[in-house]
Coordinates of all heavy atoms in Angstrom, one line a residue:
A1 N 38.4 -44.5 -170.2 CA 39.8 -45.1 -170.4 C 39.8 -46.5 -169.9 O 39.2 -46.8 -168.9 CB 40.8 -44.3 -169.6
P2 N 40.4 -47.5 -170.6 CA 40.4 -48.9 -170.2 C 41.2 -49.0 -168.9 O 42.2 -48.3 -168.7 CB 41.1 -49.6 -171.4 CG 41.5 -48.6 -172.4 CD 41.0 -47.3 -171.9
A3 N 40.8 -50.0 -168.2 CA 41.5 -50.3 -166.9 C 43.0 -50.7 -167.2 O 43.3 -51.5 -168.1 CB 40.8 -51.4 -166.1
G4 N 43.9 -50.2 -166.4 CA 45.3 -50.5 -166.6 C 46.0 -49.8 -167.8 O 47.1 -50.1 -168.1
G5 N 45.3 -48.8 -168.3 CA 45.8 -48.1 -169.5 C 46.9 -47.1 -169.2 O 47.4 -46.5 -170.1
G6 N 47.1 -46.8 -167.9 CA 48.2 -45.9 -167.5 C 47.7 -44.5 -167.3 O 48.2 -43.7 -166.6
G7 N 46.6 -44.0 -168.0 CA 46.2 -42.7 -167.9 C 45.1 -42.6 -166.8 O 44.5 -41.5 -166.6
G8 N 44.7 -43.6 -166.2 CA 43.6 -43.8 -165.2 C 43.1 -42.6 -164.5 O 43.5 -41.5 -164.7
V9 N 42.1 -42.8 -163.7 CA 41.5 -41.8 -162.9 C 42.1 -41.7 -161.6 O 42.5 -42.7 -161.0 CB 40.0 -42.2 -162.8 CG1 39.2 -41.2 -161.9 CG2 39.3 -42.4 -164.1
A10 N 42.3 -40.4 -161.1 CA 42.9 -40.2 -159.8 C 42.0 -40.7 -158.7 O 40.8 -40.7 -158.8 CB 43.2 -38.7 -159.6
P11 N 42.6 -41.2 -157.6 CA 41.8 -41.7 -156.5 C 41.1 -40.6 -155.9 O 41.5 -39.4 -155.9 CB 42.8 -42.4 -155.6 CG 44.1 -41.8 -156.0 CD 44.0 -41.4 -157.4
P12 N 40.0 -40.9 -155.2 CA 39.2 -39.8 -154.5 C 40.1 -39.2 -153.4 O 41.0 -39.8 -152.9 CB 38.1 -40.6 -153.8 CG 38.1 -41.9 -154.4 CD 39.4 -42.2 -155.1
P13 N 39.9 -37.9 -153.1 CA 40.8 -37.2 -152.1 C 40.9 -37.9 -150.8 O 41.9 -37.8 -150.2 CB 40.1 -35.8 -152.0 CG 39.2 -35.7 -153.2 CD 38.9 -37.1 -153.7
E14 N 39.8 -38.5 -150.3 CA 39.9 -39.2 -149.0 C 40.8 -40.4 -149.0 O 41.3 -40.8 -147.9 CB 38.5 -39.6 -148.5 CG 37.7 -40.5 -149.4 CD 36.9 -39.8 -150.5 OE1 37.0 -38.6 -150.6 OE2 36.1 -40.5 -151.2
L15 N 41.2 -40.9 -150.2 CA 42.2 -42.0 -150.2 C 43.6 -41.6 -150.5 O 44.5 -42.4 -150.3 CB 41.7 -43.0 -151.3 CG 40.4 -43.7 -151.1 CD1 40.1 -44.7 -152.3 CD2 40.4 -44.5 -149.8
L16 N 43.8 -40.3 -150.9 CA 45.1 -39.9 -151.2 C 46.1 -40.0 -150.0 O 47.2 -40.4 -150.2 CB 45.1 -38.4 -151.7 CG 44.6 -38.3 -153.2 CD1 44.6 -36.8 -153.6 CD2 45.5 -39.0 -154.1
Q17 N 45.6 -39.6 -148.8 CA 46.5 -39.7 -147.6 C 46.9 -41.2 -147.4 O 48.0 -41.4 -147.0 CB 45.8 -39.1 -146.4 CG 46.6 -39.2 -145.2 CD 45.9 -38.7 -143.9 OE1 44.8 -38.3 -144.0 NE2 46.6 -38.7 -142.8
L18 N 45.9 -42.1 -147.6 CA 46.2 -43.5 -147.3 C 47.3 -44.0 -148.3 O 48.0 -45.0 -148.0 CB 44.9 -44.3 -147.4 CG 43.9 -44.0 -146.4 CD1 42.6 -44.9 -146.6 CD2 44.4 -44.3 -145.0
L19 N 47.4 -43.4 -149.5 CA 48.3 -43.9 -150.5 C 49.7 -43.2 -150.4 O 50.6 -43.6 -151.1 CB 47.7 -43.7 -151.9 CG 46.4 -44.5 -152.2 CD1 45.8 -44.1 -153.5 CD2 46.7 -46.0 -152.1
S20 N 49.8 -42.3 -149.5 CA 51.1 -41.6 -149.4 C 52.2 -42.5 -148.9 O 51.9 -43.4 -148.1 CB 51.0 -40.3 -148.5 OG 50.9 -40.8 -147.1
P21 N 53.4 -42.3 -149.3 CA 54.5 -43.2 -148.8 C 54.7 -43.2 -147.3 O 55.0 -44.2 -146.7 CB 55.8 -42.6 -149.5 CG 55.3 -41.8 -150.7 CD 53.9 -41.3 -150.3
V22 N 54.5 -42.1 -146.7 CA 54.6 -42.0 -145.2 C 53.5 -42.9 -144.6 O 53.8 -43.7 -143.7 CB 54.4 -40.5 -144.7 CG1 54.3 -40.5 -143.2 CG2 55.6 -39.7 -145.2
Q23 N 52.3 -42.8 -145.0 CA 51.2 -43.6 -144.5 C 51.5 -45.1 -144.8 O 51.2 -46.0 -144.0 CB 49.9 -43.2 -145.0 CG 48.7 -44.0 -144.4 CD 48.6 -43.8 -142.9 OE1 48.8 -42.8 -142.4 NE2 48.3 -44.9 -142.2
R24 N 52.0 -45.4 -146.0 CA 52.2 -46.8 -146.3 C 53.3 -47.4 -145.5 O 53.2 -48.6 -145.0 CB 52.6 -46.9 -147.8 CG 51.4 -46.6 -148.7 CD 51.8 -46.5 -150.2 NE 52.1 -47.8 -150.6 CZ 52.5 -48.1 -151.9 NH1 52.6 -47.1 -152.8 NH2 52.8 -49.3 -152.2
R25 N 54.4 -46.6 -145.1 CA 55.4 -47.1 -144.3 C 54.9 -47.4 -142.8 O 55.2 -48.4 -142.2 CB 56.6 -46.2 -144.2 CG 57.5 -46.3 -145.4 CD 58.8 -45.5 -145.3 NE 58.6 -44.1 -145.3 CZ 58.6 -43.3 -146.3 NH1 58.7 -43.9 -147.5 NH2 58.4 -42.0 -146.3
K26 N 54.1 -46.4 -142.4 CA 53.5 -46.6 -141.0 C 52.6 -47.8 -141.0 O 52.7 -48.6 -140.0 CB 52.7 -45.3 -140.7 CG 52.0 -45.4 -139.4 CD 51.2 -44.2 -139.1 CE 50.4 -44.3 -137.8 NZ 49.4 -43.3 -137.6
T27 N 51.8 -48.0 -142.0 CA 50.9 -49.2 -142.0 C 51.7 -50.5 -142.1 O 51.4 -51.5 -141.4 CB 49.9 -49.1 -143.2 OG1 49.2 -47.9 -143.1 CG2 49.0 -50.3 -143.3
A28 N 52.8 -50.5 -142.9 CA 53.6 -51.7 -143.0 C 54.3 -52.0 -141.7 O 54.4 -53.2 -141.3 CB 54.7 -51.5 -144.1
A29 N 54.8 -51.0 -141.0 CA 55.4 -51.2 -139.7 C 54.4 -51.8 -138.7 O 54.7 -52.7 -137.9 CB 56.0 -49.9 -139.1
E30 N 53.2 -51.3 -138.7 CA 52.2 -51.8 -137.7 C 51.8 -53.2 -138.1 O 51.6 -54.0 -137.2 CB 50.9 -50.8 -137.8 CG 51.2 -49.5 -137.1 CD 50.0 -48.6 -137.2 OE1 48.9 -49.0 -137.7 OE2 50.2 -47.4 -136.8
L31 N 51.7 -53.5 -139.4 CA 51.3 -54.8 -139.8 C 52.4 -55.8 -139.5 O 52.2 -56.9 -139.0 CB 51.1 -54.8 -141.4 CG 50.8 -56.2 -142.0 CD1 49.5 -56.8 -141.4 CD2 50.6 -56.1 -143.5
N32 N 53.7 -55.4 -139.7 CA 54.8 -56.3 -139.3 C 54.8 -56.6 -137.8 O 55.1 -57.7 -137.4 CB 56.1 -55.7 -139.8 CG 56.3 -55.7 -141.3 OD1 55.7 -56.5 -142.0 ND2 57.2 -54.9 -141.8
A33 N 54.6 -55.5 -137.0 CA 54.5 -55.7 -135.6 C 53.4 -56.7 -135.2 O 53.6 -57.5 -134.3 CB 54.4 -54.4 -134.9
A34 N 52.3 -56.5 -135.8 CA 51.1 -57.4 -135.5 C 51.4 -58.9 -135.9 O 51.1 -59.8 -135.2 CB 49.9 -56.9 -136.2
I35 N 52.1 -59.1 -137.0 CA 52.5 -60.4 -137.5 C 53.5 -61.0 -136.5 O 53.3 -62.2 -136.0 CB 53.0 -60.4 -138.9 CG1 51.9 -60.1 -139.9 CG2 53.7 -61.7 -139.2 CD1 52.4 -59.8 -141.3
L36 N 54.5 -60.3 -136.1 CA 55.5 -60.8 -135.1 C 54.8 -61.1 -133.8 O 55.1 -62.1 -133.2 CB 56.6 -59.8 -134.9 CG 57.5 -59.6 -136.1 CD1 58.5 -58.5 -135.9 CD2 58.3 -60.9 -136.4
A37 N 53.9 -60.3 -133.3 CA 53.2 -60.5 -132.1 C 52.3 -61.8 -132.2 O 52.3 -62.6 -131.2 CB 52.3 -59.3 -131.7
S38 N 51.7 -62.0 -133.3 CA 50.9 -63.2 -133.5 C 51.7 -64.4 -133.5 O 51.2 -65.5 -133.2 CB 50.0 -63.1 -134.7 OG 50.8 -63.3 -135.9
Q39 N 53.0 -64.3 -133.8 CA 53.9 -65.5 -133.8 C 54.7 -65.5 -132.6 O 55.7 -66.3 -132.5 CB 54.8 -65.4 -135.1 CG 54.1 -65.5 -136.4 CD 55.0 -65.3 -137.6 OE1 56.2 -64.9 -137.4 NE2 54.5 -65.6 -138.7
S40 N 54.3 -64.8 -131.6 CA 55.0 -64.7 -130.3 C 56.5 -64.3 -130.4 O 57.3 -64.9 -129.7 CB 54.9 -66.0 -129.5 OG 53.5 -66.3 -129.3
Q41 N 56.8 -63.4 -131.3 CA 58.1 -62.9 -131.5 C 58.2 -61.5 -131.0 O 57.2 -60.8 -131.2 CB 58.6 -63.1 -132.9 CG 58.7 -64.5 -133.4 CD 59.2 -64.6 -134.8 OE1 59.8 -63.7 -135.3 NE2 59.1 -65.8 -135.4
E42 N 59.4 -61.1 -130.5 CA 59.5 -59.7 -130.1 C 59.8 -58.8 -131.3 O 60.3 -59.2 -132.3 CB 60.7 -59.6 -129.2 CG 60.6 -60.5 -127.9 CD 59.5 -59.9 -127.0 OE1 59.3 -58.7 -126.9 OE2 58.9 -60.8 -126.3
R43 N 59.5 -57.5 -131.1 CA 59.8 -56.5 -132.2 C 61.2 -56.2 -132.2 O 61.8 -55.8 -133.2 CB 59.0 -55.2 -131.9 CG 57.5 -55.4 -132.1 CD 56.8 -54.1 -131.8 NE 57.0 -53.1 -132.9 CZ 56.4 -52.0 -133.0 NH1 55.5 -51.6 -132.1 NH2 56.6 -51.2 -134.0
E44 N 61.9 -56.3 -131.1 CA 63.3 -55.9 -131.0 C 64.1 -57.2 -130.8 O 63.7 -58.1 -130.1 CB 63.6 -55.0 -129.8 CG 62.8 -53.7 -129.9 CD 63.3 -52.8 -131.1 OE1 64.5 -52.8 -131.4 OE2 62.4 -52.2 -131.7
P45 N 65.4 -57.3 -131.3 CA 66.2 -58.5 -131.1 C 66.5 -58.6 -129.6 O 66.7 -57.7 -128.9 CB 67.4 -58.2 -131.9 CG 67.4 -56.8 -132.3 CD 66.0 -56.3 -132.1
K46 N 66.6 -59.9 -129.2 CA 66.9 -60.2 -127.8 C 68.4 -60.1 -127.4 O 68.8 -59.9 -126.2 CB 66.3 -61.5 -127.4 CG 64.8 -61.6 -127.5 CD 64.3 -62.9 -127.1 CE 62.8 -62.9 -127.2 NZ 62.2 -64.2 -126.9
L47 N 69.3 -60.3 -128.4 CA 70.7 -60.5 -128.1 C 71.3 -59.2 -127.4 O 72.0 -59.4 -126.3 CB 71.5 -60.7 -129.4 CG 73.0 -61.0 -129.2 CD1 73.3 -62.1 -128.2 CD2 73.6 -61.2 -130.5
P48 N 71.0 -58.0 -127.8 CA 71.6 -56.9 -127.1 C 71.2 -56.8 -125.6 O 72.0 -56.6 -124.7 CB 71.1 -55.6 -127.8 CG 70.8 -56.1 -129.2 CD 70.3 -57.6 -129.0
M49 N 69.9 -57.1 -125.3 CA 69.5 -57.1 -123.9 C 70.1 -58.3 -123.1 O 70.5 -58.1 -122.0 CB 68.0 -57.3 -123.8 CG 67.4 -57.2 -122.4 SD 67.9 -55.8 -121.5 CE 67.0 -54.5 -122.3
L50 N 70.3 -59.4 -123.7 CA 70.9 -60.6 -123.1 C 72.4 -60.3 -122.7 O 72.9 -60.6 -121.7 CB 70.8 -61.8 -123.9 CG 69.4 -62.5 -124.0 CD1 69.4 -63.6 -125.0 CD2 69.0 -63.0 -122.6
L51 N 73.1 -59.6 -123.6 CA 74.5 -59.2 -123.4 C 74.6 -58.2 -122.3 O 75.5 -58.3 -121.4 CB 75.1 -58.7 -124.7 CG 75.3 -59.7 -125.8 CD1 75.8 -59.0 -127.0 CD2 76.2 -60.8 -125.4
K52 N 73.7 -57.3 -122.2 CA 73.6 -56.3 -121.1 C 73.4 -57.0 -119.8 O 73.9 -56.7 -118.7 CB 72.6 -55.2 -121.4 CG 73.0 -54.3 -122.5 CD 71.9 -53.2 -122.8 CE 72.3 -52.4 -124.0 NZ 71.3 -51.4 -124.3
M53 N 72.4 -58.0 -119.8 CA 72.1 -58.7 -118.6 C 73.4 -59.6 -118.1 O 73.6 -59.7 -116.9 CB 70.9 -59.7 -118.8 CG 69.6 -58.9 -118.9 SD 68.2 -60.0 -119.3 CE 68.3 -61.2 -118.0
L54 N 74.1 -60.1 -119.1 CA 75.3 -60.9 -118.7 C 76.3 -60.0 -118.0 O 76.9 -60.3 -117.0 CB 76.0 -61.5 -120.0 CG 77.3 -62.1 -119.8 CD1 77.3 -63.3 -118.9 CD2 78.0 -62.5 -121.1
V55 N 76.5 -58.8 -118.5 CA 77.5 -57.8 -117.9 C 77.0 -57.4 -116.5 O 77.7 -57.4 -115.6 CB 77.7 -56.6 -118.8 CG1 78.4 -55.5 -118.1 CG2 78.3 -57.0 -120.1
W56 N 75.7 -57.2 -116.4 CA 75.1 -56.8 -115.1 C 75.3 -58.0 -114.1 O 75.7 -57.8 -113.0 CB 73.6 -56.5 -115.2 CG 73.0 -56.2 -113.9 CD1 72.9 -55.0 -113.3 CD2 72.2 -57.2 -113.1 NE1 72.2 -55.2 -112.1 CE2 71.8 -56.5 -112.0 CE3 71.9 -58.5 -113.3 CZ2 71.1 -57.1 -111.0 CZ3 71.2 -59.1 -112.3 CH2 70.8 -58.4 -111.2
A57 N 75.0 -59.2 -114.5 CA 75.1 -60.4 -113.6 C 76.5 -60.6 -113.2 O 76.8 -60.9 -112.0 CB 74.6 -61.6 -114.3
Q58 N 77.5 -60.4 -114.1 CA 78.9 -60.5 -113.8 C 79.3 -59.4 -112.7 O 80.1 -59.7 -111.8 CB 79.8 -60.4 -115.0 CG 79.7 -61.6 -115.9 CD 80.7 -61.5 -117.1 OE1 81.3 -62.5 -117.4 NE2 80.8 -60.4 -117.7
D59 N 78.7 -58.2 -112.9 CA 79.0 -57.1 -111.9 C 78.5 -57.5 -110.5 O 79.2 -57.3 -109.5 CB 78.4 -55.8 -112.4 CG 79.1 -55.2 -113.6 OD1 80.3 -55.6 -113.8 OD2 78.5 -54.3 -114.2
Q60 N 77.3 -58.1 -110.5 CA 76.7 -58.5 -109.2 C 77.5 -59.6 -108.6 O 77.8 -59.5 -107.4 CB 75.3 -58.9 -109.4 CG 74.3 -57.9 -109.9 CD 74.2 -56.7 -109.0 OE1 73.9 -56.8 -107.8 NE2 74.5 -55.5 -109.5
L61 N 77.9 -60.6 -109.3 CA 78.7 -61.7 -108.8 C 80.1 -61.2 -108.3 O 80.6 -61.6 -107.3 CB 78.9 -62.8 -109.8 CG 79.6 -64.0 -109.4 CD1 79.0 -64.7 -108.2 CD2 79.7 -65.0 -110.6
A62 N 80.7 -60.2 -109.1 CA 82.0 -59.7 -108.7 C 82.0 -59.1 -107.4 O 83.1 -59.0 -106.7 CB 82.5 -58.8 -109.8
Q63 N 80.9 -58.6 -106.9 CA 80.9 -58.0 -105.5 C 81.0 -59.1 -104.4 O 81.3 -58.7 -103.3 CB 79.5 -57.3 -105.3 CG 79.4 -56.1 -106.2 CD 78.0 -55.5 -106.1 OE1 77.2 -55.8 -105.2 NE2 77.7 -54.5 -107.0
H64 N 80.8 -60.3 -104.8 CA 80.9 -61.4 -103.8 C 81.9 -62.5 -104.1 O 82.2 -63.3 -103.2 CB 79.5 -62.1 -103.7 CG 78.4 -61.1 -103.4 ND1 78.2 -60.5 -102.2 CD2 77.5 -60.5 -104.2 CE1 77.2 -59.7 -102.2 NE2 76.7 -59.7 -103.5
A65 N 82.4 -62.5 -105.3 CA 83.4 -63.6 -105.6 C 84.3 -63.2 -106.7 O 84.1 -62.3 -107.4 CB 82.6 -64.9 -106.1
V66 N 85.5 -63.9 -106.7 CA 86.4 -63.7 -107.8 C 86.2 -64.9 -108.8 O 86.1 -66.0 -108.4 CB 87.9 -63.8 -107.3 CG1 88.9 -63.7 -108.4 CG2 88.1 -62.6 -106.3
F67 N 86.0 -64.6 -110.0 CA 85.7 -65.6 -111.0 C 86.1 -65.1 -112.4 O 86.3 -63.9 -112.6 CB 84.1 -65.8 -111.1 CG 83.4 -64.6 -111.5 CD1 82.9 -64.5 -112.9 CD2 83.1 -63.6 -110.7 CE1 82.2 -63.4 -113.3 CE2 82.4 -62.4 -111.1 CZ 82.0 -62.4 -112.4
P68 N 86.3 -66.0 -113.4 CA 86.6 -65.6 -114.7 C 85.5 -64.9 -115.4 O 84.3 -65.4 -115.2 CB 86.9 -67.0 -115.4 CG 86.9 -68.0 -114.4 CD 86.3 -67.5 -113.2
R69 N 85.7 -63.8 -116.0 CA 84.7 -63.0 -116.6 C 84.8 -63.1 -118.1 O 85.8 -63.4 -118.7 CB 84.8 -61.5 -116.3 CG 84.7 -61.2 -114.8 CD 84.9 -59.7 -114.6 NE 83.8 -58.9 -115.2 CZ 82.9 -58.3 -114.6 NH1 82.9 -58.3 -113.3 NH2 82.0 -57.6 -115.2
I70 N 83.7 -62.8 -118.8 CA 83.6 -62.6 -120.2 C 83.6 -61.1 -120.5 O 82.6 -60.5 -120.3 CB 82.4 -63.3 -120.9 CG1 82.4 -64.8 -120.6 CG2 82.4 -63.0 -122.4 CD1 81.1 -65.5 -121.1
N71 N 84.8 -60.6 -120.8 CA 84.9 -59.1 -121.0 C 84.8 -58.8 -122.5 O 84.3 -57.7 -122.9 CB 86.3 -58.6 -120.5 CG 86.4 -58.7 -119.0 OD1 85.4 -58.4 -118.3 ND2 87.5 -59.1 -118.5
N72 N 85.2 -59.7 -123.4 CA 85.1 -59.5 -124.8 C 83.9 -60.3 -125.3 O 84.0 -61.5 -125.5 CB 86.3 -59.9 -125.6 CG 86.2 -59.7 -127.1 OD1 85.2 -59.8 -127.6 ND2 87.4 -59.4 -127.7
L73 N 82.7 -59.7 -125.5 CA 81.5 -60.4 -125.8 C 81.5 -61.0 -127.2 O 80.7 -61.9 -127.5 CB 80.3 -59.5 -125.5 CG 80.1 -59.0 -124.1 CD1 78.9 -58.1 -124.0 CD2 80.0 -60.2 -123.2
V74 N 82.3 -60.5 -128.1 CA 82.4 -61.0 -129.4 C 83.0 -62.3 -129.5 O 82.6 -63.3 -130.1 CB 83.1 -60.0 -130.4 CG1 83.3 -60.6 -131.7 CG2 82.3 -58.7 -130.5
E75 N 84.2 -62.4 -128.8 CA 84.9 -63.7 -128.8 C 84.5 -64.6 -127.6 O 84.8 -65.8 -127.7 CB 86.4 -63.4 -128.7 CG 87.0 -62.7 -129.9 CD 88.4 -62.4 -129.8 OE1 89.1 -63.0 -128.9 OE2 88.9 -61.6 -130.6
A76 N 83.8 -64.1 -126.6 CA 83.3 -64.8 -125.5 C 84.4 -65.6 -124.8 O 84.2 -66.8 -124.4 CB 82.2 -65.7 -125.9
T77 N 85.6 -65.0 -124.6 CA 86.7 -65.7 -123.9 C 86.6 -65.4 -122.5 O 86.4 -64.2 -122.1 CB 88.0 -65.3 -124.5 OG1 88.2 -63.9 -124.5 CG2 88.2 -65.9 -125.9
L78 N 86.9 -66.3 -121.6 CA 87.0 -66.1 -120.2 C 88.3 -65.5 -119.8 O 89.4 -65.9 -120.3 CB 86.8 -67.4 -119.4 CG 85.4 -68.0 -119.5 CD1 85.4 -69.4 -118.9 CD2 84.3 -67.1 -118.9
E79 N 88.3 -64.5 -118.9 CA 89.5 -63.8 -118.5 C 89.5 -63.8 -117.0 O 88.5 -63.5 -116.3 CB 89.6 -62.4 -119.0 CG 89.6 -62.3 -120.5 CD 89.6 -60.9 -121.0 OE1 89.9 -60.0 -120.3 OE2 89.3 -60.7 -122.2
M80 N 90.7 -64.1 -116.4 CA 90.8 -64.0 -115.0 C 90.9 -62.6 -114.6 O 91.5 -61.8 -115.3 CB 92.1 -64.8 -114.5 CG 91.9 -66.3 -114.6 SD 90.5 -66.9 -113.7 CE 90.9 -66.5 -112.0
P81 N 90.3 -62.2 -113.5 CA 90.3 -60.8 -113.0 C 91.7 -60.4 -112.5 O 92.5 -61.3 -112.1 CB 89.3 -60.7 -111.9 CG 89.3 -62.1 -111.4 CD 89.6 -63.0 -112.5
P82 N 92.1 -59.1 -112.6 CA 93.3 -58.7 -112.1 C 93.4 -58.9 -110.6 O 92.3 -58.9 -109.9 CB 93.4 -57.2 -112.4 CG 92.0 -56.8 -112.7 CD 91.3 -58.0 -113.2
S83 N 94.6 -59.0 -110.0 CA 94.7 -59.2 -108.6 C 94.2 -58.1 -107.7 O 93.7 -58.3 -106.6 CB 96.1 -59.6 -108.2 OG 97.0 -58.5 -108.6
D84 N 94.2 -56.8 -108.3 CA 93.7 -55.7 -107.5 C 92.4 -55.3 -108.1 O 92.4 -54.7 -109.2 CB 94.7 -54.5 -107.6 CG 94.2 -53.3 -106.9 OD1 93.4 -53.4 -106.0 OD2 94.7 -52.2 -107.2
M85 N 91.3 -55.5 -107.4 CA 90.0 -55.2 -107.9 C 89.3 -54.0 -107.2 O 88.1 -53.9 -107.2 CB 89.1 -56.4 -107.9 CG 89.6 -57.6 -108.7 SD 88.6 -59.0 -108.6 CE 86.9 -58.4 -108.7
S86 N 90.1 -53.2 -106.5 CA 89.6 -52.2 -105.7 C 88.9 -51.1 -106.4 O 87.9 -50.5 -105.9 CB 90.7 -51.6 -104.8 OG 91.7 -51.0 -105.6
D87 N 89.2 -50.8 -107.7 CA 88.6 -49.7 -108.4 C 87.6 -50.2 -109.4 O 87.1 -49.4 -110.3 CB 89.7 -48.9 -109.1 CG 90.4 -49.7 -110.2 OD1 90.4 -50.9 -110.1 OD2 91.0 -49.0 -111.1
Q88 N 87.2 -51.5 -109.4 CA 86.3 -52.0 -110.4 C 84.9 -51.3 -110.4 O 84.4 -51.1 -111.5 CB 86.1 -53.5 -110.1 CG 85.2 -54.2 -111.1 CD 85.1 -55.7 -110.8 OE1 85.8 -56.2 -110.0 NE2 84.3 -56.3 -111.6
G89 N 84.4 -51.0 -109.3 CA 83.1 -50.4 -109.2 C 83.0 -49.0 -109.8 O 81.9 -48.5 -110.0
S90 N 84.1 -48.3 -110.0 CA 84.0 -46.9 -110.5 C 83.9 -46.8 -112.0 O 83.6 -45.7 -112.5 CB 85.3 -46.2 -110.0 OG 86.4 -46.8 -110.6
E91 N 84.0 -47.9 -112.7 CA 83.9 -47.8 -114.2 C 82.5 -48.0 -114.7 O 81.7 -48.7 -114.0 CB 84.8 -48.9 -114.8 CG 86.3 -48.7 -114.5 CD 87.1 -49.8 -115.2 OE1 87.0 -49.9 -116.4 OE2 87.8 -50.5 -114.5
D92 N 82.2 -47.5 -115.8 CA 80.9 -47.7 -116.4 C 81.0 -49.0 -117.1 O 82.0 -49.4 -117.7 CB 80.6 -46.6 -117.4 CG 79.3 -46.7 -118.0 OD1 78.3 -46.7 -117.3 OD2 79.2 -46.7 -119.3
V93 N 79.8 -49.7 -117.2 CA 79.8 -51.0 -117.8 C 80.3 -51.0 -119.3 O 81.0 -51.8 -119.7 CB 78.3 -51.6 -117.8 CG1 78.1 -52.8 -118.7 CG2 77.9 -51.9 -116.4
Q94 N 79.9 -50.0 -120.0 CA 80.3 -49.8 -121.4 C 81.8 -49.7 -121.6 O 82.3 -50.1 -122.5 CB 79.5 -48.7 -122.1 CG 79.5 -48.7 -123.6 CD 78.7 -49.9 -124.1 OE1 77.8 -50.4 -123.4 NE2 79.0 -50.3 -125.3
D95 N 82.4 -49.1 -120.6 CA 83.9 -48.8 -120.6 C 84.7 -50.1 -120.4 O 85.8 -50.2 -120.8 CB 84.3 -47.8 -119.6 CG 83.8 -46.4 -119.9 OD1 83.4 -46.2 -121.1 OD2 83.6 -45.6 -119.0
R96 N 84.1 -51.1 -119.7 CA 84.8 -52.3 -119.4 C 84.6 -53.5 -120.4 O 85.3 -54.5 -120.2 CB 84.4 -52.8 -118.0 CG 84.8 -51.9 -116.9 CD 84.5 -52.5 -115.5 NE 83.1 -52.4 -115.3 CZ 82.3 -53.5 -115.3 NH1 82.7 -54.7 -115.5 NH2 81.0 -53.3 -115.0
I97 N 83.8 -53.3 -121.3 CA 83.6 -54.4 -122.3 C 84.0 -54.0 -123.7 O 83.9 -52.9 -124.0 CB 82.1 -54.9 -122.3 CG1 81.2 -53.8 -122.6 CG2 81.8 -55.6 -121.0 CD1 79.7 -54.2 -122.7
D98 N 84.5 -55.0 -124.4 CA 85.0 -54.7 -125.7 C 83.9 -55.3 -126.7 O 83.9 -56.5 -127.0 CB 86.3 -55.4 -125.9 CG 86.9 -55.2 -127.4 OD1 86.4 -54.3 -128.0 OD2 87.7 -56.0 -127.8
V99 N 83.0 -54.4 -127.1 CA 81.9 -54.9 -128.0 C 81.7 -53.8 -129.1 O 81.5 -52.7 -128.8 CB 80.6 -55.0 -127.2 CG1 79.4 -55.5 -128.1 CG2 80.7 -55.9 -126.0
P100 N 81.6 -54.3 -130.3 CA 81.3 -53.3 -131.4 C 79.9 -52.8 -131.2 O 79.0 -53.5 -130.7 CB 81.4 -54.2 -132.7 CG 82.1 -55.4 -132.3 CD 81.9 -55.6 -130.8
G101 N 79.7 -51.6 -131.6 CA 78.4 -50.9 -131.4 C 77.2 -51.7 -132.0 O 76.1 -51.7 -131.5
S102 N 77.4 -52.4 -133.1 CA 76.4 -53.1 -133.8 C 75.9 -54.2 -133.0 O 74.7 -54.6 -133.0 CB 76.8 -53.6 -135.2 OG 77.9 -54.5 -135.0
V103 N 76.7 -54.8 -132.1 CA 76.3 -56.0 -131.3 C 75.4 -55.5 -130.2 O 74.4 -56.1 -129.8 CB 77.5 -56.7 -130.7 CG1 77.1 -57.8 -129.7 CG2 78.3 -57.3 -131.8
M104 N 75.7 -54.3 -129.6 CA 74.9 -53.8 -128.5 C 73.7 -52.9 -129.0 O 73.0 -52.4 -128.2 CB 75.8 -53.0 -127.6 CG 76.8 -53.8 -126.8 SD 76.2 -55.0 -125.8 CE 75.7 -54.0 -124.4
G105 N 73.5 -52.8 -130.2 CA 72.4 -52.1 -130.8 C 72.6 -50.6 -130.7 O 71.7 -49.8 -130.6
V106 N 73.8 -50.1 -130.7 CA 74.1 -48.7 -130.6 C 74.3 -48.1 -131.9 O 74.8 -48.7 -132.8 CB 75.4 -48.4 -129.7 CG1 75.7 -47.0 -129.6 CG2 75.3 -49.1 -128.4

């Protein structure tokens, strides 16, 4: 049969696994990761981690000072804290910030 005629010869059995869609996706993911690493880029986006670090840093500072906080990470507006901050430590970080799940990688 002529090359490219459509009726071609099946690949040898030892190559069938390499040609499977699952193996091709795995190989593509590994290749993409290697390319990103060679370009000194991370596999995961940095923004979600930076936003979590901002919330953590604000929590640490709030233990020692009163300051305007960024509670809405989407609009990044500064808000003055309420005058009574006695129950601030009991809330979970995720409960105190107004962020869509897509921004935090959820």
Side-chain angles (χ1 to χ4, degrees):
V9 178
E14 57 271 8
L15 294 181
L16 284 177
Q17 180 183 1
L18 295 175
L19 296 175
S20 74
V22 172
Q23 183 61 39
R24 291 175 68 181
R25 280 191 293 274
K26 179 182 174 191
T27 302
E30 291 175 6
L31 178 62
N32 289 338
I35 291 170
L36 290 173
S38 74
Q39 296 175 349
S40 299
Q41 295 184 16
E42 300 291 326
R43 291 178 75 170
E44 300 296 324
K46 294 180 181 180
L47 183 59
M49 182 55 68
L50 288 172
L51 294 174
K52 290 177 185 177
M53 288 175 57
L54 172 65
V55 171
W56 176 85
Q58 289 184 138
D59 288 344
Q60 297 300 305
L61 182 58
Q63 295 175 10
H64 305 285
V66 175
F67 66 99
R69 294 179 67 109
I70 298 175
N71 292 322
N72 182 329
L73 298 177
V74 173
E75 295 180 13
T77 54
L78 293 173
E79 298 177 17
M80 287 304 295
S83 57
D84 179 23
M85 296 179 44
S86 60
D87 64 337
Q88 182 176 356
S90 64
E91 297 180 56
D92 184 56
V93 168
Q94 199 67 23
D95 293 337
R96 290 186 289 106
I97 57 177
D98 179 19
V99 181
S102 62
V103 174
M104 294 297 282
V106 178

